[in-house]
Amino acid sequence: MELLVIGHDDVAALRESLRNDRAVLEQNFLKHNNAARLLAAHTRLIDRYLRRVWRQLAMPRRITLAAVGGYGRCKLYPRSDIDLLILLDAEPDDALQQQLHQLIRVLWDIGLEVGHSVRTVGQCIKESADITVQTNLLEARLVCGNKELFNELCASVQQHLDLRAFYLAKLQEQQRRHARYAEADYNLEPNLKESPGGLRDLQTVTWIARAAGLGTHWSELARIGLLTTAEARQIARHSALLATLRARLHYLAKRHEDRLLFDFQTLLAEQLGINASANRRSSEHLMQRYYRTKLAVRQFNTLMLQNLHDYLFHEAPAQRTLNERFRIVGTLLEIRDEQLFEHTPEAIFELFLLMEQHSELTDLSAKTLRALWRAQHRVDASFRRNPLNRACFMEILRQPHGVLHALRRMNQYGILGRYLPAFGRIVGQMQHDLFHVYTVDEHILMVVRNLRRFAAPEHAQEIPLCSKLMGEFARPEVLYVAGLFHDIAKGRGGDHSQLGKKDARAFCVQHQLSGTDTNLIVWLVEHHLILSATAQKQDLSDPEVIAGFAGKIKNDRYLVALYLLTVADVRGTSPQIWNAWKAKLMEDLFLLARRYLSDGKVADQLGEIRRATADALNHYALQPDSYQLLWAQLDDSYFLDHAPQEIAWHTRLLAFKVNAAAPIVKARISRAGEGLQVMVYCPDQRALFARICNFFARMNYTIVEAKIHTTQHGYALDSFQIMEAARGGTAYRDIMTYIEFELAQQIAQAKPIVLATPGRVSRQLKHFPISTEVEIKPDNKGMYVLSLVAGDRPGLLARFALILDAHDIRLHRAKINTLGSRAEDVFWVSGKRLADADETRCFLDELLEKI
């Protein structure tokens, strides 16, 4: 058989025609914003070009061209692949193989991004053991060719379909996908198709419904009673928003892109006419709309999968009556009257309480889910005023088990936001502050989760002190309420702590909490940031800092509550924010403040530190006379700045090398439990701190704390806590050896500093930039405290240190606090030029310009 060929000019004409036709579709979509019309029109357009090429190549009449995937569903997105099945009546001979190769080549040449498979009916059925292939075959659509062969395929697919096995396989597939896309990164830049609450969750429902012969449209499922007409309209609106966002994203990205990347969030908001408000970016408003749609889709998906399960499996599990309103069906809680929540709204909270109290319950039945979804409107002002409901809500928070699951379910089904309107306003609200990776409502629930974990014995090893304190804390519901309200006023403008405490007080009064508990909750909401700020930004070796912090704490219960809430809060911002060093700082401050509250004064730290260090050195058979020369070179500030075990380490290394000419660099695994501690000892030199910072930047290590000390005889004795920026699985022994040798060499050679390449700015920082802020003020010890806020990037500290050096400013200590892509650093510095206002202004201007 002679192979027909489409000429180069014809291919070029088809390619240009296709490009023009697609451009018209894009213009019409951007003008009318109708995604459903776009997808259907795009499908028809591709059908037309495929049939044209099929005819021009005179493809054999005995074979079939079918559309599968999104193309098969007639929902072809602008930049999605065009999935094709070429169905054969028998194994292809060489001539047919050549024709098929030419077909695919021409389709690509004219601009069609096709993905294809070539199979016989028998091969299709064999491959359908894979659930993805089986799903594709179920939604296959004839484009052109042998209709009888296509019908044979459809009949065979149906004949080999096990509905129950298909349902279970799709459910398992969804669970795996949810686990894969539940990571924090997908909260900031969610995948519109694959993330939980995305388009794939809706498709899972329609795939199962199609397989069962129930229909493929929400209106069809409503007609057979699987959902109401109102529910069908509601989910169609949510589906339309997701489809609109995905189509616009394809056009903006000019590629197949399903992630709502930072690069496109603001542009999408502008296209949809979403404007910035006084307190929030347009992208944050857009993302809140998306997150609320995502929440609704997850509700709908759960509801429909339950309904479809009941329809397909017709099981009659054992039933047991709980009370006059509820029964247990298998392991599910079910209402006995479908109108229960309509005539007895207080049963809504009773439902969540029963779920906590009966560990054998795993979920709600489909009937209960539907009734709960439809009864959301009953959680109104009258419901909120009802003393029974207020008492029941507090009882939910006081249960020994299931508090977090209850709150998550209440949020998932829209109940929590209706009961606490202030909470409802922050549902789905994203914070583009470069370190929160959860919406405000999810962050709040993560804080409650962390508080609950402190009380769980199986998690006691995570933060032992928190677990011990939580086990001793009376009425822990006080902490849960504080957790619910600590960020509830985010996005309103003004100080969210001050605004939130008003909401918290109103809640406590309405729910009849005691005056003692009310005062503690309100105080916690107002002051929930002070422990973290003090630990990470102030000098904990300064007795006045400890006294000042402790002076804000009413008593030990307040301190314990603040510590527990703070740790839970910081751990709930992002998996990348919390580390062992932050844990140590906060624990140190807690213990120092607790001792101050107990003794009523700051202990004689200097004497205690010297005695504790001497005791530690005694274990190494080092007597005082062996290190007297070294200690004579160290002033009181050195001892107050370092822990006894750290001083003992330095002393063991340096006692017999006080006047060493060559630099001494030693590293060990940090006592914080993560990262390394590095000591540098050498004759002081110009730009030493910049050189060390640059060295660590080139290694991709982050400095989390630096203590800079100059001895009486002019030696630098510097100590650094460093952590691997990427948190890889590096063998610390190898790294320690490298640091000790290479850093000592670089210090000894004192070559001109070549700054580490700044590297690429993170996309998040690029689209949500941080304005550099610098503030300097004198402290009460003859030094100055310099605060720096800037976008974090490699080499930031080294550039900063070089500017200090250029202005003859001496660095004594640094606390480095990195929050995602945001650096919030504090430095203790001194220098004659800082006493001159003009010199200081010049210095600060250079920092603002170059950092």
Side-chain angles (χ1 to χ4, degrees):
M1 181 180 67
E2 184 177 348
L3 192 67
L4 291 181
V5 177
I6 299 180
H8 176 76
D9 291 343
D10 290 336
V11 168
L14 282 172
R15 184 168 57 247
E16 183 64 22
S17 175
L18 176 62
R19 184 185 298 115
N20 292 336
D21 287 343
R22 280 178 156 172
V24 171
L25 287 181
E26 180 178 358
Q27 292 166 7
N28 288 337
F29 169 65
L30 296 177
K31 180 179 179 181
H32 300 291
N33 200 40
N34 189 321
R37 185 186 300 172
L38 166 70
L39 304 185
H42 191 209
T43 300
R44 290 193 299 270
L45 177 70
I46 301 307
D47 283 353
R48 194 163 70 245
Y49 277 89
L50 285 173
R51 289 168 184 152
R52 183 172 176 179
V53 171
W54 188 271
R55 286 195 305 270
Q56 286 187 248
L57 291 177
M59 299 303 292
R61 294 185 178 182
R62 69 180 188 276
I63 66 175
T64 302
L65 181 66
V68 292
Y71 179 40
R73 293 190 299 274
C74 296
K75 293 184 178 180
L76 184 61
Y77 283 84
R79 301 285 178 166
S80 289
D81 290 343
I82 300 162
D83 294 326
L84 301 175
L85 168 64
I86 301 173
L87 192 60
L88 308 181
D89 60 342
E91 289 290 337
D93 55 20
D94 290 343
L96 181 55
Q97 288 276 22
Q98 283 187 292
Q99 280 187 290
L100 294 176
H101 287 316
Q102 186 186 31
L103 170 68
I104 300 305
R105 185 171 59 251
V106 170
L107 293 179
W108 275 96
D109 286 347
I110 68 172
L112 294 178
E113 305 84 1
V114 298
H116 72 286
S117 59
V118 180
R119 297 189 181 109
T120 63
V121 171
Q123 289 169 337
C124 286
I125 299 305
K126 183 178 180 180
E127 293 293 328
S128 68
D130 182 303
I131 188 63
T132 302
V133 175
Q134 187 177 33
T135 305
N136 273 338
L137 293 175
L138 278 171
E139 55 190 7
R141 179 177 58 83
L142 178 66
V143 176
C144 55
N146 187 340
K147 185 176 181 180
E148 289 74 19
L149 184 62
F150 179 77
N151 289 338
E152 180 188 341
L153 171 68
C154 294
S156 292
V157 169
Q158 287 296 327
Q159 181 182 352
H160 288 84
L161 177 66
D162 181 333
L163 275 177
R164 293 185 177 185
F166 183 77
Y167 172 93
L168 295 174
K170 296 310 289 185
L171 184 63
Q172 187 179 57
E173 180 184 66
Q174 175 174 290
Q175 290 167 345
R176 287 196 301 266
R177 175 171 50 82
H178 282 188
R180 189 166 66 251
Y181 283 90
E183 296 176 5
D185 288 348
Y186 292 107
N187 288 334
L188 291 168
E189 299 178 303
N191 189 301
L192 290 167
K193 180 181 176 183
E194 304 288 355
S195 288
L199 288 162
R200 192 64 94 197
D201 280 7
L202 296 175
Q203 290 163 4
T204 297
V205 172
T206 55
W207 282 329
I208 296 170
R210 178 196 289 267
L214 302 176
T216 58
H217 300 287
W218 309 126
S219 56
E220 293 175 306
L221 299 182
R223 279 197 294 271
I224 62 173
L226 282 179
L227 68 163
T228 66
T229 303
E231 290 165 351
R233 284 197 299 267
Q234 183 181 357
I235 202 59
R237 284 197 301 272
H238 292 304
S239 177
L241 174 62
L242 293 175
T244 297
L245 289 173
R246 189 181 180 207
R248 286 183 176 274
L249 192 55
H250 279 205
Y251 284 131
L252 278 173
K254 294 181 171 56
R255 63 177 185 269
H256 183 171
E257 180 58 79
D258 294 332
R259 296 168 298 165
L260 266 175
L261 300 175
F262 299 128
D263 311 54
F264 307 117
Q265 290 177 13
T266 300
L267 292 171
L268 277 171
E270 291 172 356
Q271 285 192 1
L272 295 173
I274 299 172
N275 299 316
S277 61
N279 306 308
R280 295 168 61 198
R281 297 179 174 93
S282 60
S283 59
E284 291 174 330
H285 287 289
L286 168 72
M287 295 308 291
Q288 183 165 32
R289 188 179 298 184
Y290 160 76
Y291 286 117
R292 290 185 171 183
T293 284
K294 168 183 172 177
L295 196 62
V297 168
R298 291 202 68 177
Q299 289 179 29
F300 176 78
N301 172 269
T302 302
L303 171 65
M304 288 303 298
L305 289 180
Q306 284 268 32
N307 283 338
L308 288 167
H309 179 277
D310 289 355
Y311 180 88
L312 294 174
F313 287 80
H314 305 294
E315 294 173 341
Q319 298 187 14
R320 176 165 63 89
T321 300
L322 274 180
N323 57 34
E324 66 273 15
R325 290 178 292 278
F326 294 94
R327 62 183 168 221
I328 296 177
V329 179
T331 61
L332 305 178
L333 182 63
E334 183 169 274
I335 53 176
R336 299 177 66 184
D337 174 4
E338 291 193 10
Q339 298 302 311
L340 172 65
F341 300 138
E342 296 295 332
H343 59 69
T344 312
E346 54 268 25
I348 292 174
F349 276 177
E350 183 185 4
L351 172 149
F352 295 105
L353 186 58
L354 289 172
M355 289 294 295
E356 290 178 305
Q357 294 173 339
H358 293 268
S359 59
E360 70 272 24
L361 292 171
T362 59
D363 212 332
L364 307 177
S365 71
K367 183 166 76 171
T368 308
L369 282 172
R370 291 182 68 176
L372 184 62
W373 196 16
R374 295 167 186 169
Q376 292 178 39
H377 69 283
R378 297 310 307 268
V379 184
D380 53 16
S382 175
F383 183 98
R384 291 190 287 271
R385 288 192 300 267
N386 189 326
L388 291 176
N389 294 329
R390 291 175 174 178
C392 192
F393 185 78
M394 288 308 303
E395 194 62 26
I396 289 170
L397 295 183
R398 292 185 177 114
Q399 292 302 299
H401 305 287
V403 173
L404 177 65
H405 290 305
L407 291 174
R408 284 201 187 281
R409 281 194 177 96
M410 292 170 76
N411 191 38
Q412 183 180 354
Y413 298 114
I415 303 300
L416 188 58
R418 294 187 69 91
Y419 184 66
L420 302 175
F423 188 91
R425 286 194 288 272
I426 50 90
V427 169
Q429 181 178 314
M430 178 49 76
Q431 307 169 78
H432 284 143
D433 55 13
L434 303 184
F435 58 92
H436 280 90
V437 299
Y438 304 107
T439 56
V440 181
D441 60 312
E442 184 60 23
H443 164 66
I444 284 174
L445 294 178
M446 286 292 286
V447 172
V448 176
R449 163 195 176 266
N450 291 337
L451 289 167
R452 293 290 294 174
R453 283 172 78 92
F454 296 156
E458 61 269 28
H459 299 298
Q461 78 285 352
E462 291 181 1
I463 308 180
L465 178 58
C466 287
S467 295
K468 178 180 182 297
L469 294 172
M470 193 69 174
E472 300 167 349
F473 195 86
R475 303 185 304 283
E477 68 271 13
V478 167
L479 295 173
Y480 308 149
V481 174
L484 283 172
F485 282 89
H486 81 287
D487 274 356
I488 207 164
K490 282 284 185 75
R492 295 189 207 170
D495 186 338
H496 75 278
S497 301
Q498 294 296 325
L499 296 171
K501 79 172 187 178
K502 296 177 182 178
D503 293 337
R505 184 175 295 282
F507 173 90
C508 293
V509 172
Q510 292 163 1
H511 291 76
Q512 298 184 342
L513 272 70
S514 69
T516 300
D517 287 349
T518 295
N519 290 336
L520 174 54
I521 290 168
V522 171
W523 183 87
L524 285 171
V525 173
E526 181 180 8
H527 297 284
H528 70 273
L529 297 173
I530 63 169
L531 190 147
S532 174
T534 303
Q536 297 181 87
K537 297 182 180 181
Q538 295 196 45
D539 182 359
L540 300 188
S541 67
D542 184 347
E544 293 186 14
V545 169
I546 304 304
F549 172 75
K552 300 172 185 176
I553 313 294
K554 186 174 181 180
N555 55 40
D556 188 68
R557 180 170 169 82
Y558 273 57
L559 178 62
V560 170
L562 178 62
Y563 174 65
L564 291 171
L565 179 61
T566 301
V567 174
D569 186 17
V570 177
R571 294 185 82 205
T573 56
S574 162
Q576 305 303 319
I577 294 297
W578 182 257
N579 57 45
W581 182 242
K582 283 187 173 67
K584 183 181 184 301
L585 288 175
M586 292 180 191
E587 183 173 323
D588 286 350
L589 177 57
F590 169 76
L591 294 174
L592 288 167
R594 197 175 207 189
R595 183 169 180 179
Y596 181 91
L597 290 174
S598 172
D599 297 347
K601 62 180 181 179
V602 178
D604 174 20
Q605 284 183 281
L606 183 59
E608 288 190 4
I609 290 170
R610 284 178 175 271
R611 286 190 294 272
T613 304
D615 289 342
L617 290 169
N618 191 45
H619 291 298
Y620 293 92
L622 280 177
Q623 298 305 312
D625 58 350
S626 63
Y627 51 82
Q628 185 176 6
L629 177 61
L630 174 65
W631 280 23
Q633 310 306 321
L634 307 174
D635 58 25
D636 291 350
S637 65
Y638 169 83
F639 287 95
L640 290 172
D641 267 1
H642 296 78
Q645 52 83 14
E646 189 175 5
I647 299 170
W649 182 50
H650 292 174
T651 302
R652 288 189 290 112
L653 295 171
L654 303 176
F656 304 106
K657 300 177 182 179
V658 177
N659 297 304
I664 298 173
V665 178
K666 292 295 180 181
R668 67 176 183 175
I669 295 173
S670 172
R671 293 303 187 264
E674 188 176 355
L676 297 174
Q677 188 175 21
V678 179
M679 182 206 74
V680 175
Y681 182 75
C682 65
D684 204 5
Q685 62 177 244
R686 194 76 184 257
L688 176 63
F689 181 68
R691 189 178 306 282
I692 295 170
C693 290
N694 194 54
F695 175 82
F696 289 134
R698 287 182 173 277
M699 287 183 63
N700 199 29
Y701 266 73
T702 298
I703 298 171
V704 294
E705 184 174 65
K707 299 174 186 177
I708 313 301
H709 185 75
T710 304
T711 68
Q712 304 283 4
H713 67 316
Y715 272 62
L717 176 48
D718 301 343
S719 180
F720 298 87
Q721 293 280 346
I722 64 171
M723 298 182 68
E724 192 174 4
R727 292 204 187 185
T730 312
Y732 276 141
R733 285 294 165 199
D734 295 338
I735 293 296
M736 288 159 59
T737 302
Y738 175 82
I739 290 172
E740 290 175 353
F741 178 79
E742 285 294 331
L743 181 54
Q745 286 286 99
Q746 291 191 21
I747 293 171
Q749 293 168 1
K751 293 180 178 179
I753 296 173
V754 179
L755 288 175
T757 305
R760 295 177 60 185
V761 174
S762 70
R763 285 184 301 105
Q764 192 174 5
L765 188 58
K766 176 182 176 183
H767 294 284
F768 308 108
I770 296 174
S771 298
T772 301
E773 300 174 19
V774 182
E775 181 185 14
I776 190 166
K777 55 186 178 182
D779 70 0
N780 57 1
K781 295 184 177 180
M783 288 192 289
Y784 292 83
V785 179
L786 192 158
S787 302
L788 171 68
V789 175
D792 189 39
R793 55 180 62 86
L796 175 70
L797 273 180
R799 289 196 303 277
F800 170 80
L802 285 174
I803 295 172
L804 290 185
D805 188 66
H807 289 265
D808 292 322
I809 294 173
R810 180 182 171 193
L811 176 66
H812 298 270
R813 185 169 184 175
K815 274 203 169 181
I816 314 302
N817 185 29
T818 305
L819 303 169
S821 297
R822 180 186 179 93
E824 295 186 0
D825 304 339
V826 182
F827 307 90
W828 285 262
V829 298
S830 64
K832 291 181 180 179
R833 294 188 179 186
L834 295 176
D836 183 284
D838 291 336
E839 290 277 5
T840 300
R841 185 71 263 162
C842 178
F843 163 61
L844 295 179
D845 287 344
E846 186 173 352
L847 284 178
L848 289 171
E849 178 186 349
K850 295 183 178 180
I851 292 298

